[in-house]
Amino acid sequence: MSENQSSAKKASEPRTAPVPRVESAQAEATVTGATAQSGTAKTAGAKSAEPISAAKAPEGVRVASPASGDKASQKADKKAEKKATREAFARPKSIEEAAKPQNRAAFRAAVALYGLFMIAYGVWQVLGGVRVIPDAPADFANPSVQSNYVFFAATYVGVGLSFVFIAVKFKWVNMLAFSCLVVFLGGVGRILSWAFFGTPHWSLIVLMVTELVIPPCLLVWYGWINKSNKIREEMLKASRNQARK
């Protein structure tokens, strides 16, 4: 009977569903979220000091480069970089480049022009013979005189070719003194002819002046070029020695 009464009593009691632990679950979720947020904040704070690379930046977002030092140091670095760049471009690459004078092209042009003038004049004398000489008599052009005169005219052409070769191949410039000496001696011979045989035609006097003046001028010019080369080489060596120290 007691069992029947207890079962009937349980049946008469209202049945209620078990209450879920909502509040505890919400509290646990809140604590978990707070912990995650604090960990994320710490991670973000630790990584904020590191520069953000462009690869990790989101698309469409420009990330400014981090500033290195203050503005004064940046300006000083830029000035030093510009100065080094100017010095690098201004510094010659070799001694030959540093010792190359600006007027070498003008000197070579002058030597070449003088050689071409001698070649043209000598070829004209070879083709025309004694008849092209001013004030020459008509019956003076015999074969023996023509042969001797054409020989010296051809020699004049050869000396002119040496000047042209020196201008084209400047490494042969050591021959310049010999070529100039030959032409200068020809001018001296004209002076002796003037003294022994009388005054020649004015055109021959002009040639004598050019033969006595131009070769020494070319030698003096070449000497000045060599002197400037030595000065430039010494300056370059001194600058390199200071740079090494």
Side-chain angles (χ1 to χ4, degrees):
M1 293 295 288
S2 61
E3 291 180 357
N4 294 330
Q5 289 178 357
S6 62
S7 61
K9 185 178 182 180
K10 289 180 180 180
S12 63
E13 293 179 354
R15 294 182 181 180
T16 57
V19 179
R21 299 176 63 186
V22 177
E23 295 180 356
S24 61
Q26 289 180 352
E28 290 178 359
T30 305
V31 172
T32 305
T35 305
Q37 288 179 359
S38 62
T40 306
K42 290 180 181 179
T43 306
K47 292 183 179 180
S48 60
E50 299 180 357
I52 302 174
S53 61
K56 296 181 180 180
E59 295 183 358
V61 178
R62 295 184 180 180
V63 180
S65 58
S68 58
D70 55 351
K71 294 182 179 179
S73 62
Q74 289 181 1
K75 289 182 179 179
D77 294 339
K78 289 181 179 179
K79 288 182 179 179
E81 185 177 356
K82 289 180 180 179
K83 184 178 180 181
T85 304
R86 287 195 300 266
E87 291 179 355
F89 280 102
R91 189 182 300 116
K93 298 179 182 180
S94 63
I95 295 178
E96 178 64 22
E97 186 175 330
K100 185 177 180 180
Q102 299 295 330
N103 65 338
R104 179 176 289 183
F107 175 76
R108 295 175 66 176
V111 172
L113 289 175
Y114 188 60
L116 292 174
F117 167 76
M118 294 180 66
I119 292 171
Y121 181 79
V123 170
W124 179 51
Q125 296 294 317
V126 168
L127 297 178
V130 183
R131 295 186 180 89
V132 299
I133 300 175
D135 299 336
D139 56 350
F140 183 68
N142 57 60
S144 297
V145 175
Q146 291 282 13
S147 176
N148 195 40
Y149 183 79
V150 170
F151 168 77
F152 288 110
T155 305
Y156 203 74
V157 173
V159 176
L161 286 173
S162 69
F163 280 95
V164 174
F165 288 157
I166 290 170
V168 174
K169 296 289 185 180
F170 200 72
K171 61 182 180 181
W172 296 347
V173 73
N174 294 329
M175 297 173 55
L176 182 65
F178 178 75
S179 300
C180 290
L181 178 62
V182 172
V183 177
F184 185 81
L185 289 177
V188 173
R190 292 185 187 274
I191 293 176
L192 296 176
S193 175
W194 191 352
F196 295 155
F197 305 109
T199 303
H201 191 264
W202 66 267
S203 61
L204 299 178
I205 295 176
V206 173
L207 287 175
M208 179 187 67
V209 172
T210 59
E211 291 164 355
L212 293 174
V213 174
I214 293 179
C217 290
L218 292 177
L219 291 178
V220 171
W221 194 352
Y222 177 61
W224 180 81
I225 289 176
N226 285 338
K227 186 66 176 177
S228 64
N229 282 346
K230 292 180 181 179
I231 294 174
R232 289 169 184 264
E233 288 177 3
E234 291 176 358
M235 293 176 63
L236 180 61
K237 289 179 181 178
S239 65
R240 286 182 176 178
N241 292 333
Q242 290 180 357
R244 289 174 183 175
K245 292 179 181 180

